[in-house]
Amino acid sequence: MKREVRLVIDGDAGTRAARGLDTLSDLLARERAAAPASDPCREGACGDCVVLADGVLVAACITPVLQLDGARISTFAGLCRDDADEAPRLVAAARALARFADDRGLFPCDVCRSGVLLAAALDASGASGEGTSALSSRVCRCSDLAELPPEIERLRRELGEAP
Amino acid sequence: MSGPCEVLAPFEIEEAVQLLAEIGEPVTVLAGGTDLMPAILSGERRPAAVVLDLGRMAILREIREEGDELVLGAAVTAAALGADPEVARVAGPLVAAARSFGSLEIANRATIGGNVMTAGAAGDLATALLALDAVAVLASTEGRRRVPVFSLLVGGGRTSAKPSELLVEIRLPRAGASGRGWFRKVSGRGGRGWAKVNLACFARDGSEGPEEVRIALGGAASGPTRLRETERILTGSRLDEACLARALRGIDGEITPEDDLVSSAAYRRTIAARLVRWVLAELARPEGLR
């Protein structure tokens, strides 16, 4: 039995059909070739499929679409677009980190790129919450994530204190 | 993919318990989905024909004070617990457990009610709730009943809740603010994954040593348990070396760890003893995590 769900995905508002416990990953894969870039672990463990749902970081692979009715979904790719509809600090952090990663040749295989960089952008913009690091649970098998924390710190200073 | 199931998402608790009563067959309850969804997606679990989604009941996400209790809605997330100053004041071990969750995206969705009702061998929040003497409130069309979380978690992945009952609240004694508490876990993934063993402890100090001690262990049996005998040895004791040694010697006989996909019984036995040794040393110190 299909139901209509209202969603805004990276600025694209509309109703989508969802059935039972269809996940957000299923929906994104159906709609967008671009996101998520990787085949998720489908157990919420790897963090590669994360997106923002009304500003809250969620694992798309285990989040039922029906629970997201009315939500604004932002993928990392969406955050990097000119028309991104998220906090300016977060958008600035996302773009700066995407440039940094590409300049340094991080994430050569691309599997974890968007999940790691979205977590890093939350940390850099101060949106992860006091004493919480979204990046700390991330793993990349191809590159050294130790390059990211100094850049996150630099961005935190550049962007100033969180409002 | 996930099978033909109908997802119902009522706005009110009364509506939800009415649905449970009318459907009359087992219903799958969906809160944050962090345990349920992986189990369904891997084929380990099949959802019932009807799934009850708790996501629209705003009252289940509330944290409020009521008399001498702190009331946590069943769908309060680990992230919300970890950030709440009143929960930190009253229930330090619960906040430490909530902050030990694997990743921000899991903490943002995992709920306290889900952690209890999943009835895992070592749910982090569940273990903390045992040490804090928390009470669960179950709602049905018959009304509400209070059950200590200890009695709700009967082990073996089961709870004592009836199929017609919905966990709606967890209640904590606000007197917890006058005690000391600890939480620690051992897990894979740098200490942030599923706990193999976890321990939570609460103590209220008196002039002659602790007048109240509760030690809860997860992973030391088929569900989180209390170390009643150890607690008895410690209560009212000066916690000198002889007492601590006696308490430690008793641990082995008090636990019955099991093999599962997360860990082995032998490993859990070793780790449980070490966690208890750690917390005994903490107890004997004048200051602990609150």
Side-chain angles (χ1 to χ4, degrees):
Chain A
M1 184 171 62
K2 292 206 170 188
R3 288 236 295 268
E4 297 280 291
V5 178
R6 293 163 300 129
L7 287 173
V8 182
I9 300 177
D10 289 340
D12 175 14
T15 59
R16 274 88 172 173
R19 193 182 59 114
L21 295 174
D22 283 358
T23 67
L24 182 57
S25 283
D26 298 334
L27 180 74
L28 291 175
R30 225 170 27 235
E31 288 203 4
R32 304 160 53 92
S38 59
D39 186 22
C41 66
R42 304 192 74 82
E43 56 176 35
C46 72
D48 293 349
C49 68
V50 290
V51 298
L52 297 174
D54 287 334
V56 175
L57 192 70
V58 301
C61 73
I62 56 166
T63 303
V65 175
L66 287 181
Q67 288 192 311
L68 296 170
D69 193 16
R72 180 182 87 254
I73 307 296
S74 294
T75 65
F76 184 75
L79 277 184
C80 293
R81 279 185 0 203
D82 288 340
D83 58 351
D85 180 22
E86 292 287 346
R89 301 164 53 83
L90 180 61
V91 170
R95 290 178 186 167
L97 284 160
R99 269 195 310 277
F100 175 83
D102 294 343
D103 290 349
R104 298 288 180 100
L106 297 177
F107 316 117
C109 85
D110 241 17
V111 168
C112 66
R113 181 179 185 276
S114 60
V116 172
L117 291 180
L118 178 51
L122 288 173
D123 289 353
S125 70
S128 303
E130 191 64 37
T132 304
S133 164
L135 182 69
S136 66
S137 61
R138 293 297 184 270
V139 178
C140 171
R141 300 204 184 278
C142 325
S143 40
D144 184 5
L145 293 186
E147 288 193 45
L148 285 174
E151 179 62 7
I152 289 171
E153 267 317 300
R154 194 191 65 74
L155 281 169
R156 266 180 185 269
R157 285 193 301 275
E158 189 179 296
L159 296 167
E161 284 301 303
Chain B
M1 173 276 313
S2 51
C5 58
E6 187 182 2
V7 181
L8 302 175
F11 285 92
E12 305 291 340
I13 290 172
E14 291 64 31
E15 207 185 326
V17 297
Q18 194 64 47
L19 283 170
L20 288 178
E22 282 168 10
I23 292 163
E25 57 187 79
V27 163
T28 300
V29 178
L30 168 69
T34 53
D35 287 321
L36 179 66
M37 291 299 290
I40 289 174
L41 292 167
S42 70
E44 177 192 325
R45 203 176 146 179
R46 281 177 77 90
V50 176
V51 173
L52 180 65
D53 170 15
L54 307 185
R56 285 190 171 142
M57 290 184 271
I59 194 159
L60 296 187
R61 290 191 294 275
E62 283 181 7
I63 298 176
R64 66 176 200 279
E65 290 164 40
E66 194 182 300
D68 55 5
E69 290 180 323
L70 184 63
V71 183
L72 311 172
V76 168
T77 62
L81 288 174
D84 192 282
E86 186 58 16
V87 180
R89 203 176 70 81
V90 168
L94 184 62
V95 167
R99 289 186 179 164
S100 80
F101 270 50
S103 59
L104 183 59
E105 63 272 16
I106 296 299
N108 280 340
R109 297 272 303 164
T111 66
I112 189 165
N115 201 261
V116 170
M117 297 306 285
T118 293
D124 291 321
L125 304 181
T127 298
L129 291 177
L130 287 195
L132 293 163
D133 217 10
V135 168
V137 176
L138 301 171
S140 72
T141 50
E142 314 279 289
R144 294 189 175 203
R145 68 178 176 116
R146 294 168 60 103
V147 186
V149 174
F150 179 80
S151 312
L152 185 61
L153 295 175
V154 292
R158 293 189 314 275
T159 72
S160 61
K162 298 181 200 123
S164 60
E165 289 179 318
L166 184 67
L167 173 66
V168 291
E169 290 173 356
I170 296 290
R171 288 174 169 251
L172 293 164
R174 290 173 68 202
S178 65
R180 296 190 287 153
W182 296 266
F183 175 83
R184 197 156 164 190
K185 79 183 197 186
V186 172
S187 72
R189 291 174 67 92
R192 302 180 64 117
W194 273 102
K196 298 173 181 188
V197 178
N198 53 22
L199 178 148
C201 176
F202 174 84
R204 197 189 317 280
D205 295 318
S207 52
E208 298 284 316
E211 35 187 56
E212 201 181 348
V213 188
R214 287 186 296 271
I215 301 176
L217 267 178
S222 65
T225 48
R226 290 263 303 276
L227 296 182
R228 300 278 190 186
E229 182 55 24
T230 310
E231 293 171 0
R232 199 186 56 73
I233 293 170
L234 299 169
T235 305
S237 144
R238 286 189 177 282
L239 303 182
D240 53 22
E241 273 186 40
C243 166
L244 297 182
R246 193 151 65 91
L248 259 185
R249 276 198 303 276
I251 304 298
D252 231 27
E254 267 204 284
I255 62 175
T256 52
E258 297 183 355
D259 289 315
D260 63 20
L261 288 175
V262 178
S263 188
S264 70
Y267 180 79
R268 284 173 154 151
R269 189 169 284 283
T270 305
I271 299 303
R274 290 189 183 162
L275 285 184
V276 173
R277 189 171 66 190
W278 162 76
V279 87
L280 292 186
E282 289 290 317
L283 265 174
R285 262 201 267 278
E287 272 305 321
L289 162 80
R290 295 228 326 123

